[in-house]
Structures are given as structure tokens and as C-alpha cells.
């Protein structure tokens, strides 16, 4: 419990055996009042067992669905167990759990709170197509929200009970659908979306991609996802 | 003339295969209607090739063969789109099932080791 709220930390994890135990241990250490749910997204390594040994509740998908699929399962779990708030935290250690109480605080005047890079805190930088994509995404979504949202593709986000119920029924599996499309839909439905500046850390394991081809592909897919999201209904 | 004979025989075999699949319950009825329609049209045209040119002329197409090619391509495209749509539906359904399986397994594991349960 945090402030009389039952909070579930949802960690979608696919083959994160190198970092998952540290991530779970850190979350339970920093946030003793919360439950940690690791959604093992069809990992072929030891992710599930390591998470369970570290003290997390583990649900295991029989095959890989992607972040969106893992998250809907997490929200279904949260809905079934009656949690008041859910926070998504990545399994690679980029998200610092010490920001979680700040995200939860903002839930008092918003239904969805995004932990945003580029908002003053930290020194996260991107360049090239990836940056253009993020600029356009944040421009469009800021206009929809009526205030500035600097980082719409952040997977570090908290939501309240009403959105847990929505996301348990509806959560896209498509690439970027889990971040961009959900934000668009939530804004369209009239919920408040706020952001809290956060500093991202380097990953505990793995390396971010730097290939220019991948960056261009990211740009194309981001615009595709955004274009579809804003023209729906 | 030999081509029309070939068409007629092919059409009859096609129709027979569809009906046999239906009889063995290998094909859902909703798809069968479509293919029986196609088979019947092919049989008709195979046995009465004159109809084809008459039909083509009535819609302003010079030759019956062009009309058949055009309609065939359009039809196959529509079928492909329909199949993509159908697979998307199936993926959504298996996704829901995968989630159910994961939830049920977690529930089972929690029951087997009661001290792990952190329900209210």
C-alpha cells in the first residue's frame, strides 16, 4: 500500500534474464508497499524463474506477444485483483523506481501519468530520424492534451483504476501502439494525461540500437502508428 | 474447343472437391458458399463458352478472356484481403487465450504454494 492505494508494478519482460532479478530486487527495496508483477512474455531464457526467485509474482505467456500483449495481461491481472493503480516499469533497468511515488502523486489530478525524458530531468539525448519522430509525436499529442507532453513513447507510466479497466479490455499489440495509440485513445476519451520529468538510466544489460536504417524504420512506423491512431473513429 | 473442354472438366472437379470437403466437415460453410459459387460459374462458362463473349460485349469489354482475367484477379485480391483479415481475427483470439492460460497458470501456482499468495 502507498497512501492507502493498492499499487501494482507491472514489468513486461522478454528474455531479460541478465537484468530482471536486479530490477525486481530494486523495486521491492525502494517500494516496499507495492506488489511486483513480472509478465514473462514467452521468454526462452530463465527470466520467469529468476523474477519469481527475486520475489515477484510471475505470469507467463506461452509465446511472445510483444510489450502491448504483455501489458494487457498485466492490466487484466490488476483489474481482477482490484488494484487502485498500476505502474509500468521496463525490465532492462532504464526506469528508476524512485520516481514511482512521484508518478503516483500526479495520479490525483490525472488518469495517466507519463514519466518523461526531455523534460528537464536527466540528460537523455537522441538524434536523427528517431528525434524527428519523437518531436512530431509530442507536438501532435501535446495539442490533443492541451499542454506539453515531451515524451509520448516512454514506457514508464502510471494509470489509475478507470484506465486499468480500459486497458484490461483494450490494449494494442502493434509496435508503438502500446505507447502512442493508448495515449491518443485515452485523450480522446477525455481522461487527463500528465507528465512527470524523469531521468532515464543506462540499461543494466543490452545495448540500444544505433543503426540509421532502424532509426528511419522507427520514424516510418511512428508516423504510421500516429496516423492510424488519430484517424480512428 | 479443347480449351473449353478443359475448363468444363476443371470446373466439375473443383465443384466436386468443394462438396467433398464440406461433406467431411473440413470446410466451414461460410467459405463453402463462396467457392461453390465460383465452381458453379466456372461449370456454366465451361459448358456454354458462348455466354462469356455475350457477357463481355454487354458490359463493353472486347473479349471474354480479358473479362475473365480481370474479374479473376480482382476476385483473388479480395480473397487475399479477406484471409489477412481472418488471420488478424485469429491472432486476436489466440492472444486472448494466451492471456487466459497465463492467468490460470499463475492462479494454479499460487494455490500450490499458498505462502506465495499476496491477495488481500
Amino acid at each position: 500500500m502507498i497512501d492507502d492505494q493498492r499499487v501494482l508494478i507491472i514489468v513486461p519482460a522478454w528474455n531479460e534474464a541478465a537484468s530482471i532479478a536486479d530490477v525486481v530486487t530494486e523495486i521491492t527495496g525502494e517500494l516496499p508497499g507495492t506488489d511486483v508483477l513480472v509478465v514473462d512474455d514467452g521468454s526462452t531464457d530463465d527470466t520467469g524463474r529468476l523474477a519469481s526467485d527475486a520475489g515477484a509474482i510471475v505470469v507467463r505467456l506461452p509465446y511472445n506477444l510483444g510489450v502491448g500483449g504483455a501489458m494487457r495481461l498485466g492490466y487484466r491481472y490488476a483489474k481482477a485483483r482490484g488494484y487502485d493503480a498500476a505502474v509500468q516499469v521496463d525490465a532492462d533497468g532504464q526506469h528508476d523506481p524512485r520516481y514511482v511515488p512521484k508518478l503516483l502523486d500526479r495520479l490525483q489530478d490525472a488518469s495517466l501519468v507519463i514519466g518523461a525524458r526531455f523534460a528537464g530531468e536527466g540528460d537523455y539525448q537522441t538524434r536523427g530520424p528517431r528525434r524527428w519522430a519523437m518531436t512530431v509525436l509530442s507536438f501532435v499529442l501535446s495539442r490533443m492534451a492541451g499542454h506539453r507532453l515531451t515524451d509520448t513513447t516512454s514506457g514508464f507510466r502510471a494509470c489509475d483504476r478507470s484506465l486499468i479497466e480500459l486497458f484490461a479490455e483494450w490494449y494494442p499489440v502493434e509496435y508503438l501502439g502500446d505507447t502512442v495509440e493508448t495515449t491518443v485513445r485515452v485523450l480522446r476519451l477525455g481522461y487527463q494525461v500528465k507528465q512527470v520529468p524523469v531521468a532515464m538510466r543506462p540499461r543494466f544489460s543490452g545495448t540500444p540500437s544505433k543503426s540509421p536504417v532502424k532509426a528511419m524504420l522507427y520514424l516510418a512506423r511512428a508516423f504510421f502508428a500516429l496516423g492510424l491512431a488519430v484517424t480512428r473513429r | 474447343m479443347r480449351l473449353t473442354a478443359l475448363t468444363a472438366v476443371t470446373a466439375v472437379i473443383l465443384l466436386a472437391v468443394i462438396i467433398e470437403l464440406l461433406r467431411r466437415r473440413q470446410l466451414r460453410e461460410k467459405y463453402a458458399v463462396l467457392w461453390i459459387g465460383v465452381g458453379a460459374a466456372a461449370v456454366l462458362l465451361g459448358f456454354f463458352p458462348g455466354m462469356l463473349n455475350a457477357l463481355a460485349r454487354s458490359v463493353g469489354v472486347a473479349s471474354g478472356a480479358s473479362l475473365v482475367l480481370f474479374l479473376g484477379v480482382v476476385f483473388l485480391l479480395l480473397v487475399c484481403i479477406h484471409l489477412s483479415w481472418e488471420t488478424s481475427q485469429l491472432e486476436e483470439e489466440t492472444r486472448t487465450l494466451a492471456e487466459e492460460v497465463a492467468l490460470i497458470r499463475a492462479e494454479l501456482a499460487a494455490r500450490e504454494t499458498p505462502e506465495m499468495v499476496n491477495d488481500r
Side-chain angles (χ1 to χ4, degrees):
Chain A
M1 298 255 195
I2 292 184
D3 298 337
D4 286 341
Q5 287 215 312
R6 295 183 69 233
V7 177
L8 183 68
I9 310 289
I10 305 174
V11 185
W14 180 47
N15 292 342
E16 299 279 7
S19 58
I20 192 70
D22 292 342
V23 169
V24 171
T25 310
E26 188 184 23
I27 295 171
T28 43
E30 292 291 337
L31 310 161
T34 62
D35 293 335
V36 183
L37 175 75
V38 171
V39 182
D40 179 357
D41 192 6
S43 298
T44 49
D45 63 9
D46 255 352
T47 302
R49 191 183 55 77
L50 291 167
S52 175
D53 289 351
I57 311 161
V58 175
V59 286
R60 189 175 191 289
L61 283 165
Y63 58 94
N64 183 256
L65 280 177
V67 181
M71 284 310 295
R72 187 171 81 169
L73 175 54
Y75 288 120
R76 281 179 73 167
Y77 185 94
K79 184 189 174 192
R81 307 288 161 120
Y83 282 94
D84 299 306
V87 186
Q88 176 184 348
V89 175
D90 278 359
D92 58 11
Q94 276 195 91
H95 299 157
D96 189 337
R98 273 165 295 200
Y99 286 106
V100 168
K102 287 186 185 165
L103 296 187
L104 292 172
D105 272 351
R106 279 323 291 271
L107 275 183
Q108 282 172 355
D109 55 342
S111 292
L112 178 67
V113 177
I114 303 173
R117 301 159 282 187
F118 322 118
E121 191 109 346
D123 51 3
Y124 189 91
Q125 287 293 330
T126 51
R127 253 173 286 122
R130 203 168 270 270
R131 189 191 171 86
W132 311 332
M134 286 180 167
T135 308
V136 173
L137 288 175
S138 77
F139 175 77
V140 173
L141 290 174
S142 298
R143 284 199 57 158
M144 291 184 74
H147 52 85
R148 237 169 103 65
L149 295 176
T150 52
D151 186 12
T152 51
T153 58
S154 166
F156 196 17
R157 38 179 65 202
C159 69
D160 67 4
R161 182 145 184 87
S162 56
L163 285 187
I164 289 177
E165 276 169 24
L166 171 70
F167 291 158
E169 301 298 325
W170 175 88
Y171 209 84
V173 275
E174 273 87 9
Y175 186 66
L176 288 171
D178 58 310
T179 48
V180 175
E181 196 187 339
T182 51
T183 312
V184 170
R185 175 94 191 263
V186 161
L187 286 168
R188 281 265 175 90
L189 290 172
Y191 292 103
Q192 281 294 315
V193 177
K194 294 278 164 69
Q195 72 175 22
V196 167
V198 299
M200 295 276 167
R201 300 181 300 195
R203 308 174 182 205
F204 286 178
S205 71
T207 49
S209 67
K210 286 232 171 65
S211 136
V213 177
K214 278 195 179 155
M216 278 312 288
L217 207 60
Y218 178 87
L219 178 75
R221 294 175 88 174
F223 287 167
F224 186 67
L226 180 69
L228 282 183
V230 296
T231 50
R232 270 190 193 114
R233 261 143 295 146
Chain B
M1 198 58 212
R2 226 176 272 156
L3 177 67
T4 35
L6 189 66
T7 323
V9 172
T10 312
V12 169
I13 293 174
L14 181 70
L15 207 54
V17 168
I18 294 162
I19 290 168
E20 184 57 21
L21 280 174
L22 263 181
R23 233 175 44 79
R24 295 186 191 173
R25 298 180 200 281
Q26 299 287 304
L27 202 62
R28 290 281 302 276
E29 189 197 320
K30 54 178 174 178
Y31 306 112
V33 174
L34 177 78
W35 293 115
I36 286 181
V38 171
V43 168
L44 217 60
L45 290 175
F47 283 101
F48 309 102
M51 282 175 61
L52 185 60
N53 283 324
L55 189 70
R57 244 170 278 124
S58 72
V59 293
V61 176
S63 104
S66 317
L67 185 67
V68 164
L69 275 179
F70 171 72
L71 290 181
V73 168
V74 169
F75 176 75
L76 288 180
L77 254 175
L78 287 178
V79 168
C80 286
I81 293 169
H82 174 78
L83 286 178
S84 298
W85 175 79
E86 200 79 46
T87 350
S88 306
Q89 297 288 106
L90 284 173
E91 273 178 29
E92 188 53 41
E93 284 166 21
T94 48
R95 172 192 176 190
T96 309
L97 285 178
E99 289 171 352
E100 295 285 340
V101 169
L103 287 175
I104 291 168
R105 279 211 289 211
E107 185 71 27
L108 265 179
R111 281 185 193 191
E112 275 162 20
T113 50
E115 71 275 11
M116 290 283 289
V117 182
N118 31 13
D119 270 308
R120 321 176 212 208

